[in-house]
Amino acid sequence: MTAENRFAVGIVDTSTLLVLGQLQNANDLPKELMITAVTLAELSVGPLVASNERERAERQAHLQQAEADFDPLPFDAEAARAFGRVAASLRRIGRKTSARAYDAMIAATAISNNLPLFTCNPSDFIGIDDLNVFSVPLPEMQTE
């Protein structure tokens, strides 16, 4: 995607939100970023299941930053209806909805709001009808 055809608004999933500050090319993203309430729910689990204090603090910082930076799109009645279509799409191709419940709910929120989804893990969204998915390249990991 180039700067000329960037979307005005789009949803970033949890994988992309976590690496936003490390992305090399802003043209890979829409001009206005949105997240879903489901992403906040997913981030809320992190500090509670962290294996040590450092990891807990890092995950808490991600959650608090997301809460400060975004007004999330709700998983509302329209998203619930879209979730039914997402689950049916996944079942048709032999994927279990429950295995990727957060992703399915994020996809449903994107569909119900007619917004594209930007993700570092596009394979998580394969086979979902009516979802406009764009791959965001993972940042190169720096070695220390």
Side-chain angles (χ1 to χ4, degrees), residues 6-7 10-11 17 27 33 53 77 80 94 103 112 118 128 136 144:
R6 280 175 69 190
F7 284 92
I11 294 174
L17 178 65
N27 289 335
L33 304 178
E53 286 302 317
D103 293 334
S112 70
F118 292 78
I128 298 176
V136 176
E144 296 181 65

Side-chain angles (χ1 to χ4, degrees), residues 51-71:
S51 59
N52 60 58
E53 286 302 317
R54 179 175 178 227
E55 183 180 17
R56 185 180 283 84
E58 288 173 359
R59 290 177 176 193
Q60 186 66 36
H62 281 297
L63 171 60
Q64 289 174 323
Q65 191 68 54
E67 290 173 331
D69 291 347
F70 296 95
D71 184 17

Side-chain angles (χ1 to χ4, degrees), residues 73-136:
L73 293 168
F75 187 82
D76 57 12
E78 286 295 319
R81 283 190 283 282
F83 181 80
R85 296 190 308 273
V86 168
S89 294
L90 292 172
R91 286 182 185 172
R92 273 194 298 278
I93 64 168
R95 294 180 72 194
K96 293 184 179 182
T97 309
S98 59
R100 304 297 308 182
Y102 291 129
D103 293 334
M105 293 173 77
I106 291 168
T109 305
I111 291 167
S112 70
N113 285 278
N114 198 29
L115 291 171
L117 179 67
F118 292 78
T119 180
C120 294
N121 298 319
S123 63
D124 291 346
F125 300 94
I126 289 173
I128 298 176
D129 296 340
D130 303 321
L131 181 63
N132 200 358
V133 178
F134 291 90
S135 180
V136 176

